[in-house]
């Protein structure tokens, strides 16, 4: 039996995180014959020294579009994790000829004109307090309780505060609603807030979407990489 064709996966990572957080997925992707591209947004990860108050959602969409352009990526399987769902939606809109399918991993699914704060009312108060105190950077959310101590240490020494404008910027879809194949992966080890439950329910009941669940907490790329890899391969097969 011949091997399945190689795919190029491009990850739009979550808030406070960066490309480094997908480290465990690289050997799994390589073993499966796929290419995994995990850039970091401006102001995060190895680009943390570039952080400034004006960075917003559009900056991060532009970061990813430039990776597509300069790396000459095509036939892309685009992954949006968490906040990365905001970024991936903008990227898929502006690179319609390059992105073949879009996979949201426990992520926000914005409509045209929506910001992350529109979709996450629970976080709004915390953000408003920061703005009042003159802050422009939002500290990370806590790590899920089932994260191993070694991973907690790995994450907590590398995650950095996010510019608040990233959460306040409204997504602009320039080419109308997205029509490409879309899948949603809902991580079922939820917190009481169940931030991504509404998107799971929305996509599960919509014939335009493929819907999947994973027995993992919010960052399966960290806590359940093999299970995530299995799902991704099933989706792109």
């Amino acid at each position: 039996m011949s091997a399945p064709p190689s795919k190029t996966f491009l990850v739009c990572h979550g808030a406070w995180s960066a490309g480094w957080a997908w480290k465990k997925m690289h050997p799994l992707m390589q073993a499966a014959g796929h290419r995994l591209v995990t850039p970091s947004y401006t102001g995060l990860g190895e680009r943390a020294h570039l952080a400034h108050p004006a960075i917003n959602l559009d900056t991060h969409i532009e970061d990813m579009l430039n990776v597509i352009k300069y790396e000459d990526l095509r036939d892309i399987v685009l992954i949006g994790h968490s906040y990365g769902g905001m970024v991936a939606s903008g990227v898929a809109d502006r690179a319609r000829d390059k992105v073949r399918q879009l996979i949201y991993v426990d992520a926000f699914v914005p409509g045209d004109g929506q910001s992350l704060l529109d979709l996450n009312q629970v976080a709004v108060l915390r953000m408003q307090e920061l703005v009042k105190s003159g802050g422009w950077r939002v500290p990370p959310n806590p790590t899920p309780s089932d994260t191993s101590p070694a991973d907690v240490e790995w994450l907590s020494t590398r995650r950095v505060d996010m510019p608040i404008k990233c959460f306040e910027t409204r997504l602009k879809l320039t080419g109308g609603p997205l029509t490409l194949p879309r899948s949603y992966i809902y991580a079922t080890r939820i917190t009481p807030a169940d931030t991504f439950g509404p998107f799971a329910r929305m996509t599960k009941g919509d014939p335009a979407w493929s819907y999947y669940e994973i027995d993992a907490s919010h960052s399966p790329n960290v806590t359940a990489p093999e299970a995530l890899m299995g799902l991704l391969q099933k989706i792109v097969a």
Side-chain angles (χ1 to χ4, degrees):
M1 214 174 94
S2 64
S6 170
K7 305 274 185 193
T8 297
F9 290 83
L10 176 63
V11 172
C12 298
H13 63 74
W16 307 296
S17 176
W20 58 263
W22 285 72
K23 181 171 81 168
K24 295 182 185 184
M25 299 300 295
H26 282 281
L28 301 175
M29 284 280 182
Q30 209 169 352
H34 301 307
R35 180 180 178 197
L36 177 64
V37 185
T38 58
S40 296
Y41 309 141
T42 304
L44 295 162
E46 73 279 11
R47 306 178 70 202
H49 61 291
L50 301 174
H52 61 85
I55 290 172
N56 63 15
L57 174 62
D58 295 320
T59 314
H60 292 164
I61 293 170
E62 203 61 42
D63 284 336
M64 303 302 288
L65 291 171
N66 273 335
V67 171
I68 292 172
K69 176 182 170 181
Y70 288 101
E71 294 285 344
D72 197 20
L73 303 182
R74 56 193 72 191
D75 295 323
I76 298 162
V77 178
L78 190 62
I79 294 175
H81 174 236
S82 195
Y83 160 76
M86 304 291 303
V87 180
S89 300
V91 172
D93 168 56
R94 286 160 214 174
R96 291 180 189 237
D97 56 331
K98 300 288 197 309
V99 179
R100 284 289 159 265
Q101 61 172 305
L102 181 46
I103 302 172
Y104 292 85
V105 179
D106 222 37
F108 294 97
V109 182
D112 185 36
Q114 288 187 309
S115 71
L116 183 142
L117 290 183
D118 291 332
L119 303 174
N120 187 7
Q121 291 301 315
V122 179
V124 172
L125 275 127
R126 181 182 165 209
M127 306 284 174
Q128 284 168 341
E129 288 305 311
L130 279 165
V131 175
K132 275 185 207 142
S133 63
W136 59 273
R137 304 186 82 175
V138 182
N141 281 342
T143 308
S145 57
D146 65 343
T147 313
S148 75
D151 282 340
V152 170
E153 187 184 2
W154 173 54
L155 295 166
S156 55
T157 55
R158 286 168 179 80
R159 296 206 303 166
V160 294
D161 296 358
M162 279 285 285
I164 194 165
K165 276 191 160 53
C166 299
F167 302 141
E168 295 173 335
T169 310
R170 296 180 188 283
L171 176 71
K172 292 187 274 295
L173 292 178
T174 57
L178 295 176
T179 55
L180 78 172
R182 279 160 296 164
S183 305
Y184 198 90
I185 298 175
Y186 177 49
T188 55
R189 294 190 190 182
I190 57 172
T191 63
D194 191 16
T195 307
F196 303 96
F199 307 109
R201 289 187 287 277
M202 174 184 89
T203 56
K204 192 177 187 176
D206 187 338
W209 288 78
S210 303
Y211 174 80
Y212 302 86
E213 291 182 351
I214 188 167
D215 175 22
S217 54
H218 178 55
S219 297
N221 49 300
V222 173
T223 57
E226 285 86 3
L228 178 59
M229 187 67 216
L231 258 188
L232 293 174
Q233 285 196 271
K234 187 173 162 184
I235 291 169
V236 301

